[in-house]
Amino acid sequence: MGLITKIKRKAKTLDNMIRPLANDKWDYFVIVMDFLWCRSIFKVSRDEYLKYNFHNLKHRYRKNFLLHKHRIKYSNINYRGLGRSKYLVYKHISDLYQREVILAPQCGEASFLDFCKKYQQIVLKADTGSMGKSVELFNYTDDATAIDLFATFSKEKPKICEPFIRQHKILKQLNPVSVNTLRITSLLQNGEVEILSATLKCGVSEDNITDNLSMGGIGAQVDISSGIVSTFGYDFEQKKYAYHPTTGVKIIGMQLPHWDTVISLVKAAHARLPQCALFGWDIAITETGADIVEANNRPGARIMQRMDGIPKGKKIIPLIRQDRLKNKRKVYTAEMKKLYTQEFQVELSE
C-alpha cells in the first residue's frame, strides 16, 4: 500500500468519525482541528475521542480521562507480579473468599476429582487470562469424564478451578445464565482505600456464563454511596439499554443488595494487598453477602468511564507520571515469579 493510499484511507476514516458530530462546514473544521490537537496532546484514539464526547468538553475536564495509553502504564503504580496470577491473589486473601479455589494440574488428579464431586458445577479459567476468554463450565457426571478433562490441563498454562457462584436472585433476574458481577475500582494511598467507581456488569447471551463487556456484555454505572444503578446500560458499541435485551428487566434504578458488605469487602481485600495501588475487583453478590471473583491490576478505563462519561483519572494519572515504583517493581516482580515457581512448579508468564 502506497503512502498516498494510506493517507486517503486515514482521511476517510477521520471524515466518517467527524461528519456525524458537525452541524456545518465550519463546525466540521473546528472538530477536525480539535481532534488532531487532542491526538497530539492527550494521545487520545479516535474511539476514545468519540465515545467520551471530547468535542463537547473543555481542556480541564478532558485531561483527567484515563486512556488506553495509561492502562499500559499501570505497572508504574502496581507491582506487576501479584496481579498477573488470580491464584496468587487468592492465596494472599483466601479467608475473604466465600468459596474454595484450586489450581490444576498442580493440585493433582485426586484433589481435582474430589473437588468436582463435591461441587458438581465447576468454572475453569486461565490463571493469567483476561477479558473472560477461555472461561468454561464443567458439569461433573462421572469420574472418567473428569479424569479425561484433567489430562488436558497443562502446567505451562494452569487453570483456576472454582465452584459455580450462586448469585443473588436480584442479579440472577438480569440474566440467569451468566454470573452478573460488579467491577469496583479502588485506589490505595497512605493506608486508605478509596472507591473510585462501581459498574454493574451483566451478560446478554443465553449460552455464555461470562458478563465481560469485551464479550458482548452490558455495563451500567452504580452510585457508590447508595448502591443504586444510576445510568442506562451500555455495551462497548455504545448501544443504550433501559431494559435488559434478553430478559426485559429494568436496569437503571436497580437497588443492589448487600451494598455495604460489597464496599467493606473491597476495602478489606485491597488493604491486605498494599503491593498494588490500583485494583479493579470483580465482585459477585450472593444471597448471604458478597464474594470476590477476581482482582485485576490493570482495570479497564472504558468500564470506569464510558457509562457515566465522568473521568476517573484525576488521582491515578499523577501516580502514573511519578513512576514511583520504578526500582521496587522489578524486585517485587522477581520475588513473585520465584514464589509462583516454587509453589506451582511453573514460571509466571509475562
Side-chain angles (χ1 to χ4, degrees):
M1 185 187 298
L3 178 61
I4 294 178
T5 303
K6 286 183 179 180
I7 293 174
K8 286 182 178 180
R9 180 169 294 183
K10 286 183 178 294
K12 185 177 181 180
T13 301
L14 182 61
D15 178 70
N16 291 336
M17 181 190 83
I18 300 298
R19 194 166 294 280
L21 306 178
N23 297 316
D24 50 42
K25 290 184 178 180
W26 174 250
D27 200 28
Y28 179 92
F29 174 77
V30 170
I31 295 175
V32 168
M33 293 297 101
D34 183 66
F35 168 72
L36 295 175
W37 184 83
C38 288
R39 181 74 172 165
S40 174
I41 300 299
F42 301 117
K43 303 297 187 292
V44 65
S45 69
R46 289 191 298 268
D47 179 69
E48 290 167 332
Y49 185 89
L50 187 64
K51 298 299 170 59
Y52 294 145
N53 294 311
F54 260 48
H55 63 291
N56 286 327
L57 304 176
K58 294 188 179 297
H59 173 79
R60 63 177 179 273
Y61 200 73
R62 296 190 286 200
K63 69 179 182 180
N64 290 319
F65 272 95
L66 282 170
L67 304 174
H68 179 70
K69 66 167 186 174
H70 296 121
R71 187 175 184 272
I72 61 178
K73 295 178 180 178
Y74 280 169
S75 56
N76 288 6
I77 59 175
N78 283 344
Y79 292 115
R80 184 178 181 184
L82 180 59
R84 285 290 296 160
S85 166
K86 298 177 179 65
Y87 193 65
L88 277 181
V89 172
Y90 169 75
K91 292 286 285 186
H92 274 65
I93 54 173
S94 59
D95 58 304
L96 296 179
Y97 282 63
Q98 284 192 359
R99 69 195 188 285
E100 181 184 0
V101 179
I102 62 173
L103 191 71
Q106 283 72 14
C107 62
E109 182 183 285
S111 295
F112 177 74
L113 191 57
D114 290 342
F115 192 84
C116 292
K117 288 180 180 179
K118 181 178 180 180
Y119 296 111
Q120 300 295 307
Q121 274 194 313
I122 310 300
V123 175
L124 307 171
K125 55 188 177 183
D127 182 40
T128 56
S130 61
M131 297 190 295
K133 296 177 181 177
S134 303
V135 177
E136 307 168 59
L137 182 64
F138 173 68
N139 292 296
Y140 172 79
T141 54
D142 56 75
D143 289 4
T145 305
I147 291 172
D148 288 343
L149 175 63
F150 183 83
T152 66
F153 295 148
S154 165
K155 277 194 173 184
E156 284 68 40
K157 296 182 179 180
K159 292 269 190 179
I160 289 281
C161 308
E162 56 188 38
F164 185 76
I165 295 173
R166 307 298 171 185
Q167 62 187 327
H168 194 284
K169 60 184 178 183
I170 290 179
L171 277 296
K172 188 175 182 178
Q173 68 178 344
L174 282 167
N175 185 2
V177 177
S178 61
V179 178
N180 308 300
T181 64
L182 293 158
R183 168 62 63 85
I184 311 289
T185 305
S186 61
L187 181 69
L188 175 61
Q189 281 188 289
N190 303 318
E192 295 293 327
V193 178
E194 179 183 359
I195 306 301
L196 297 181
S197 71
T199 305
L200 171 65
K201 302 186 297 173
C202 52
V204 297
S205 173
E206 297 180 356
D207 57 5
N208 191 333
I209 64 172
T210 66
D211 61 357
N212 295 68
L213 273 68
S214 59
M215 303 290 283
I218 295 172
Q221 210 70 23
V222 180
D223 178 67
I224 296 172
S225 62
S226 65
I228 296 175
V229 178
S230 57
T231 70
F232 290 104
Y234 292 90
D235 60 20
F236 271 176
E237 298 302 318
Q238 205 63 4
K239 293 179 182 177
K240 184 189 294 187
Y241 302 90
Y243 298 88
H244 192 282
T246 305
T247 61
V249 174
K250 188 178 180 181
I251 298 172
I252 187 171
M254 176 181 286
Q255 173 66 68
L256 299 175
H258 302 304
W259 186 248
D260 290 342
T261 302
V262 169
I263 298 301
S264 296
L265 175 62
V266 168
K267 288 185 175 182
H270 200 162
R272 294 262 297 276
L273 299 168
Q275 303 91 344
C276 293
L278 183 69
F279 265 124
W281 301 89
D282 288 335
I283 305 293
I285 299 179
T286 66
E287 290 292 348
T288 58
D291 197 8
I292 300 169
V293 177
E294 63 185 47
N296 304 273
N297 70 338
R298 295 179 69 183
R302 289 187 296 178
I303 199 170
M304 282 189 256
Q305 304 168 133
R306 184 169 283 189
M307 289 67 188
D308 61 5
I310 298 174
K312 304 299 191 301
K314 189 172 184 179
K315 296 183 179 181
I316 299 173
I317 293 173
L319 295 179
I320 292 173
R321 289 173 176 164
Q322 288 175 17
D323 197 10
R324 64 187 180 87
L325 303 180
K326 186 173 183 180
N327 297 318
K328 292 182 180 179
R329 183 174 68 250
K330 295 179 180 179
V331 174
Y332 189 80
T333 300
E335 290 175 353
M336 292 309 300
K337 282 188 175 183
K338 183 179 179 181
L339 173 61
Y340 195 89
T341 303
Q342 290 174 343
E343 191 152 354
F344 312 132
Q345 295 82 53
V346 59
E347 288 191 7
L348 180 63
S349 59
E350 288 294 336

